[in-house]
Amino acid sequence: MAISIDEVDRIAKLSRLTFNDQEKTKLQGELSSILTYVDQLKEVEGSGELSLADNPDGSNLMRNDVVEVLADPEEFLAQAPDRQGNFIKVKSVL
Amino acid sequence: MDFTDLTIKSASDLLARKKISAKELAQMSLDRIKAVDQDVHAFLYVGAQKAMEAAVHADEVIAEGENFALTGIPFAAKDNILIKGVQATAASKILENYKATYDATIIRKLNQQSPVLMGKTNLDEFAMGSSTENSAFGPSKNPYDLSRVPGGSSGGSAAAVASGQVLFALGTDTGGSVRQPAAFCGIVGLKPTYGRCSRYGLISLGSSLDQIGVLSKTVGDAAMVLQQMAGQDDYDSTTLPKLVPDYTKFLKEDLKGWRVGIPKEYLIDGIDPEVMTVFNNVVKKVQELGATVSEVSLPHSSYALACYYIILPVEISANLSRFDGIRYGLSVPGKNLEEVYYNTRSQGFGPEPKRRIMIGTHASSAGYADAYYKKARHVQALIRKDFTDAFQNFDLLLTPTTPTPAFKFGEKSDPLSMYLADVFTVGLNIAGVPGISIPAGVTKAGLPVGVQLVAAHFAEEKLFLGAHALEQALNLKLKPNL
């Protein structure tokens, strides 16, 4: 399936990525050829009816919901680009 | 003694008999890294001081007589596996200055035996690729021919083991990323069953496909490492509570009574004639070892790669959404929050992650998810059934690992032709079954060629038995001229 430049713009916005015009044209070609390749899946009948459970009996494996200290919070916070006390500081949303 | 000739088993014997110390082994590894890695570029980080500290600790453990198979063994880990206090870049600019804050479960488990970490190895950015050409920090080279790729994405790990810099390395395999570089570099590469080893502490690529695997010089060495890595983990709910057998007990010398299947759909046009020659020779060897070899059909095989290039990008687009410049990693300023996202992601990600985020976002977006993602999951179930049906009648399946030997840098410039390098390996990840690539021969130009053995879910012991018997029968002595 070929996709348009408008579609490239739509997907880039959803992906939070920016591209210049040259990159967009290149992506349009590459994405179109990959999407054309995967289109062969349409030859297979059916969609989503078969089970894909990894556990043979189909049950989920859970652990008890217990608080554990896996690392010093300071080590995590130290990686943040900007912080205020024990909070990560972010730019205003609007 | 030549360090490059050592295996885990032989080094472990020498350590136990006090013929060598872990400190001496670590120094030999560092010397070898210094001698060859400026050419090979297997490592993104070498931790000489930490390695010597770990070696001193290993020597203490040995002195107390509490040593195991991996005690004091120099190894490397792919740079997308978290080790507390050590960089984990995933070969991406977006994580260039990131240091892990905790150990991956498999690292914690390996550390119970006190191996010696030498450093972190190169990969395609976020493990997306088949050549390490997508690394943001430059490619690794194939030790057998420096003008060729080592394969990928665990190309640094494969090159490090093949060039004798470490005795084993950890890689990750989402579509062939351990087995394909192992084949290109003439070593053993194991991808365990999905759910056999914990993925906790691995930087996720495709969460439903990823497994951490082993790159080693011998099948027996791979068995020893898996022995320590395998098992259920509370921090990864996809690991199953299945017994871990003693894998090293399954190493025999013959395959009498075994049924080996060759998937007819895999022997397609486009396989390099020299790869076919090696493969046919292996089929003969398997028969000589006492196995019956016959054709088997995996009817949906031709859809595996297309299925993979929907499921994987969809999972990538979700997994990589966490890299937004807020909590860790690269952060590029902007006027508002949204601009921080755009600027950070656009500058931090390389071309391949961007391409795959775009495909995955499209294939999972409103109006397209049914046509692409749901359809791909349906085909995935059919592919898995192909394999489980085949294992009703066969102990092992046998295929070439790759359609060609290692290719030259820049040879596969369009994304789709690069994706086809994984055509024989992706099916296993889609089905969740384990596989191992072992060296099977060389081309006239001296490039290694691998074959892949495949077993049913959680039947790694069969892989080891088959691969070990074949390894002994082939008796190849591959070593690059470095």
Side-chain angles (χ1 to χ4, degrees):
Chain A
M1 189 184 89
I3 62 167
S4 64
I5 289 286
D6 281 352
E7 292 242 71
V8 172
D9 284 333
R10 177 187 72 91
I11 306 165
K13 186 164 185 287
L14 289 170
S15 305
R16 301 294 186 269
L17 291 168
T18 45
F19 298 102
N20 63 33
D21 286 346
Q22 200 190 343
E23 289 170 326
K24 279 185 205 171
T25 310
K26 191 161 179 261
L27 268 172
Q28 185 192 12
E30 289 170 345
L31 297 191
S32 295
S33 91
I34 294 165
L35 291 171
T36 303
Y37 179 76
V38 301
D39 260 354
Q40 58 177 290
L41 294 182
K42 289 185 181 151
E43 295 164 14
V44 183
E45 282 183 20
S47 181
E49 295 89 352
L50 299 170
S51 164
L52 274 161
D54 285 301
N55 199 2
D57 70 10
S59 65
N60 280 321
L61 296 167
M62 304 287 198
R63 69 168 188 268
N64 292 330
D65 188 12
V66 179
V67 174
E68 290 174 72
V69 179
L70 295 169
D72 181 359
E74 186 56 35
E75 289 174 24
F76 288 100
L77 285 163
Q79 308 253 0
D82 203 1
R83 63 186 280 197
Q84 194 172 318
N86 271 349
F87 296 96
I88 291 170
K89 201 171 163 187
V90 298
K91 282 274 178 190
S92 62
V93 174
L94 290 172
Chain B
M1 175 202 328
D2 184 345
F3 180 72
T4 62
D5 288 332
L6 292 178
T7 61
I8 297 177
K9 189 165 192 311
S10 64
S12 187
D13 288 346
L14 291 170
L15 286 165
R17 287 169 29 226
K18 312 275 190 330
K19 298 282 183 198
I20 194 168
S21 70
K23 233 177 124 181
E24 287 167 323
L25 267 184
Q27 190 56 54
M28 286 172 158
S29 174
L30 287 173
D31 291 346
R32 182 67 181 165
I33 291 168
K34 201 170 172 199
V36 299
D37 209 48
Q38 59 196 34
D39 293 330
V40 177
H41 190 234
F43 283 90
L44 291 180
Y45 159 84
V46 177
Q49 199 192 330
K50 279 188 180 171
M52 292 318 285
E53 286 165 17
V56 168
H57 171 69
D59 279 329
E60 287 165 11
V61 171
I62 294 166
E64 288 162 17
E66 287 172 3
N67 41 314
F68 296 96
L70 305 179
T71 307
I73 302 296
F75 80 107
K78 191 175 177 179
D79 207 22
N80 60 350
I81 296 171
L82 302 193
I83 299 172
K84 191 178 164 123
V86 179
Q87 71 168 48
T89 66
S92 179
K93 292 277 181 201
I94 212 161
L95 285 175
E96 191 167 9
N97 298 311
Y98 174 71
K99 277 198 167 71
T101 45
Y102 62 98
D103 281 337
T105 295
I106 55 141
I107 294 296
R108 193 173 47 74
K109 292 182 86 156
L110 288 177
N111 282 344
Q112 290 167 357
Q113 295 200 353
S114 308
V116 176
L117 178 82
M118 304 310 298
K120 304 289 296 289
T121 50
N122 197 17
L123 61 151
D124 289 289
E125 186 172 354
F126 283 103
M128 297 179 200
S130 308
S131 69
T132 68
E133 289 168 290
N134 293 334
S135 168
F137 308 115
S140 303
K141 314 284 173 62
N142 191 309
Y144 285 85
D145 178 347
L146 298 174
S147 71
R148 291 176 189 271
V149 305
S153 65
S154 310
S157 290
V161 174
S163 60
Q165 302 185 53
V166 287
L167 301 189
F168 77 94
L170 301 175
T172 58
D173 192 316
T174 305
S177 281
V178 163
R179 291 160 287 154
Q180 185 255 18
F184 280 10
C185 291
I187 58 170
V188 173
L190 168 75
K191 182 203 93 75
T193 309
Y194 183 78
R196 178 78 287 185
C197 298
S198 171
R199 293 176 293 108
Y200 180 72
L202 159 66
I203 297 174
S204 294
L205 176 63
S207 307
S208 76
L209 306 164
D210 297 340
Q211 266 296 293
I212 295 176
V214 186
L215 294 117
S216 63
K217 292 180 185 170
T218 68
V219 175
D221 280 4
M224 283 193 266
V225 180
L226 182 67
Q227 192 74 52
Q228 189 57 24
M229 284 187 356
Q232 196 197 358
D233 178 18
D234 276 349
Y235 297 122
D236 176 358
S237 65
T238 60
T239 54
L240 293 186
K242 283 186 181 277
L243 194 78
V244 180
D246 183 349
Y247 293 120
T248 51
K249 280 211 179 112
F250 288 92
L251 306 176
K252 290 201 309 181
E253 307 295 322
D254 71 70
L255 294 174
K256 283 196 184 75
W258 279 50
R259 300 156 304 167
V260 176
I262 298 177
K264 65 175 182 189
E265 291 83 1
Y266 279 49
L267 300 183
I268 47 166
D269 293 342
I271 301 180
D272 184 283
E274 287 196 274
V275 171
M276 257 340 276
T277 305
V278 168
F279 182 70
N280 289 331
N281 178 50
V282 167
V283 172
K284 225 169 71 197
K285 284 279 178 206
V286 170
Q287 286 167 325
E288 285 167 17
L289 286 164
T292 55
V293 179
S294 51
E295 210 173 64
V296 58
S297 177
L298 302 172
H300 298 92
S301 296
S302 65
Y303 298 115
L305 201 62
C307 182
Y308 180 75
Y309 275 101
I310 297 290
I311 293 172
L312 179 64
V314 166
E315 293 184 8
I316 285 170
S317 74
N319 276 328
L320 269 56
S321 66
R322 78 191 61 176
F323 300 104
D324 55 7
I326 303 299
R327 287 156 300 157
Y328 54 85
L330 180 74
S331 184
V332 182
K335 286 199 302 287
N336 54 35
L337 189 62
E338 192 168 39
E339 227 181 78
V340 176
Y341 295 158
Y342 274 108
N343 294 348
T344 300
R345 292 165 63 79
S346 300
Q347 288 184 35
F349 289 132
E352 186 65 20
K354 283 180 185 170
R355 197 151 39 226
R356 295 202 195 179
I357 289 169
M358 291 285 285
I359 298 168
T361 301
H362 178 61
S364 56
S365 63
Y368 296 95
D370 280 5
Y372 287 114
Y373 188 68
K374 272 198 175 165
K375 178 63 106 179
R377 292 287 279 175
H378 182 77
V379 176
Q380 179 179 19
L382 293 171
I383 290 168
R384 180 182 294 195
K385 191 169 177 301
D386 284 352
F387 278 94
T388 50
D389 286 351
F391 289 118
Q392 300 294 320
N393 299 312
F394 292 93
D395 297 291
L396 290 172
L397 305 184
L398 178 67
T399 79
T401 309
T402 57
T404 67
F407 44 87
K408 285 195 180 273
F409 288 102
E411 195 178 313
K412 298 193 186 293
S413 52
D414 81 287
L416 203 51
S417 76
M418 184 69 88
Y419 297 172
L420 287 165
D422 292 333
V423 67
F424 299 139
T425 48
V426 287
L428 283 69
N429 300 74
I430 294 289
V433 294
I436 192 167
S437 176
I438 64 164
V442 286
T443 64
K444 287 190 197 81
L447 297 172
V449 174
V451 294
Q452 172 178 255
L453 293 168
V454 192
H457 292 98
F458 291 94
E460 279 84 357
E461 65 277 8
K462 287 195 174 181
L463 282 185
F464 291 133
L465 193 154
H468 176 75
L470 194 51
E471 177 184 60
Q472 300 304 306
L474 289 166
N475 193 26
L476 295 171
K477 298 266 183 272
L478 290 186
K479 201 175 166 182
N481 196 7
L482 266 178

